[in-house]
Structures are given as structure tokens and as C-alpha cells.
Amino acid sequence: MTQTLLFATSNADKIKEMRGLLSEIPYLIVTPAEIGLDIEVEEPFTTFAENAAHKASVYAAAAHMPAFADDSGLIIDAMPDELGVYSARYCGYTTPYNVRFQKIAEKLAAIPAEKRTARYWCALAMHVPQTGKVYITEGSIEGKILLEPRGNNGFGYDPIFYTPEYHATMAELAPEIKAQISHRRIAAYKLAEILQEPGILG
Ligand code: IMP
């Protein structure tokens, strides 16, 4: 019988992306909406891993099934306390990203380009109620912050996140390329490896 795993998110883009990334594993991934679960979970912690683990545990307890959740964000080394786990709320949840880019550009203007280092970070946490275990995987990708946005693909901070390896911002890369190199892919593949272990879901 195929085992079921709940992905604790209501974000349709994340669901589509994660189903693709985890397509090789023999589990049925369901969403809260598909099982009639409608809950809001805060992200109160200062690390991605703690926020993801908290979300996974709340959903697993509510659904009585193994659940995994993610938390991700952009870390800018020269602005250590401002984005990170607070990336989604930086300047306010509903503030357009172009306004956020301007604010970041103002803050980084005096910093030489080579020191505008940054990384995207993703933590995935899976809670298995049957065993009480929580598994955490993480992935990151290094880049530099541009003062002017470039490109129309992707979402969020992608237009100012430049990947030196590809000589492009994440928003200039084709979505398939971004999906192959992203912080989420790295964390998802590590989770897929854990899920291949026999008896992992109890
Ligand atoms: P959360 O993981 O839904 O709490 O939000 C993460 C936030 O980090 C998003 O709202 C974006 O602002 C930012 N972020 C995370 N991953 C990416 C990415 O791949 N591209 C652009 N922005 C990202």
C-alpha cells in the first residue's frame, strides 16, 4: 500500500515544485486542502529548521499522519538580522518586491560589490507521529546581491540574487535550471534519501 505524506503548506507553487522534486519516491504526497485541514501556523523561531519542525509537528498532530514542512529565505551577510527567517515579512508581508529591492540597494550601496554576498537557505522538516521522530534536511545556494533587479522569472528576491556560476540572476534563469540548482532542491533530495530508508514512517 502506498504510504501518505502530508506537505504542510497552502502555497500552490511550493506544492507543484515539491511534487516534482519528490516524484521518484513511492509516497503519495497530499496537501492540507486535499484532506480538509485548514490551520494557520506561526513561524516564531529564529532558525529555519525550528520553524519548519514546528510547522511539521503541528500539521502531523492535526492530521494524524507523517507531515513535512519547509521554511526558507534569503540571508544577506551585510544585513544579518533583517532578512533570513524574516524574508517573507521584510518591509511588511504585502510590500511589493520592487520596494524591498530599493531598500536593500540603499543599505548595500556603500558596500563593495564583492562583499554583497548572500545565500538562499531552505530547511525541510518531517515529523513522524508514529515514532515521534523529526528529520531535518537543509540546502543552500550562494550568490551576490545586485543593486538593480534583472529578469522576470522566479519569484520573491530572485531578480536581485545573482549566481556567479551561471552569470545570471535567479530571475534570468529558466525555471528548469533554477529548479535544478535551488536550495529547495538540495533539501528535498536529502529528504528523499531519508524517505528511502525502510520503515522510516514507523
Ligand atoms: P516561507 O518559506 O514561505 O516562509 O517564505 C520564504 C520567503 O523567502 C519568500 O516569501 C521569499 O521572500 C523568500 N524566498 C525563499 N525562497 C526563495 C526563492 O527561491 N526565490 C526568491 N525568494 C525566496
Side-chain angles (χ1 to χ4, degrees), residues 11 14 43 55 70-74 84-85 87-88 97 100 120-121 155-158 178 182-184:
N11 181 321
K14 283 187 183 176
E43 295 180 340
K55 239 186 293 180
D70 78 323
D71 192 29
S72 61
L74 173 66
V85 290
S87 296
Y97 276 87
R100 305 186 198 202
Y120 277 134
W121 197 276
F155 68 98
Y157 298 95
D158 284 343
K178 181 188 165 186
S182 81
H183 45 313
R184 253 181 301 281

Side-chain angles (χ1 to χ4, degrees), residues 8 37 39-42 52-64 67 127:
L37 196 61
I39 48 176
E40 278 287 319
V41 182
E42 299 280 314
H54 173 63
K55 239 186 293 180
S57 299
V58 172
Y59 274 88
H64 307 289
H127 182 102

Side-chain angles (χ1 to χ4, degrees), residues 4 9 13 22 35 37 40 42-44 52 61 63 66 70-71 78 99 117 140 160 163-164 168 176-177 185 200:
T4 305
T9 185
D13 290 328
L22 297 179
I35 61 164
L37 196 61
E40 278 287 319
E42 299 280 314
E43 295 180 340
D70 78 323
D71 192 29
V99 176
T117 48
S140 64
I160 58 164
T163 54
E176 316 80 76
I177 304 289
R185 177 188 168 134
I200 199 78

Side-chain angles (χ1 to χ4, degrees), residues 4 26 28-29 68 97 113 115 120 132 138 140 152 164 169 185 201:
T4 305
L28 176 65
I29 294 175
F68 70 99
Y97 276 87
K115 295 214 169 123
Y120 277 134
E138 297 191 86
S140 64
N152 298 309
T169 67
R185 177 188 168 134
L201 297 191

Side-chain angles (χ1 to χ4, degrees), residues 87-180:
S87 296
R89 355 170 190 172
Y90 178 65
C91 295
Y93 278 110
T94 56
T95 301
Y97 276 87
N98 272 327
V99 176
R100 305 186 198 202
F101 300 159
Q102 277 170 17
K103 189 95 188 152
I104 292 170
E106 281 165 25
K107 298 219 169 197
L108 297 185
I111 294 171
E114 71 277 8
K115 295 214 169 123
R116 293 181 203 137
T117 48
R119 68 204 53 79
Y120 277 134
W121 197 276
C122 174
L124 288 176
M126 178 174 71
H127 182 102
V128 182
Q130 289 81 351
T131 61
K133 288 195 175 160
V134 177
Y135 302 86
I136 293 181
T137 63
E138 297 191 86
S140 64
I141 172 169
E142 297 289 320
K144 294 252 168 73
I145 300 301
L146 300 186
L147 302 187
E148 289 287 335
R150 281 173 27 186
N152 298 309
N153 296 331
F155 68 98
Y157 298 95
D158 284 343
I160 58 164
F161 189 88
Y162 179 82
T163 54
E165 207 180 325
Y166 287 82
H167 307 287
T169 67
M170 286 295 224
E172 290 175 312
L173 292 178
E176 316 80 76
I177 304 289
K178 181 188 165 186
Q180 279 171 25

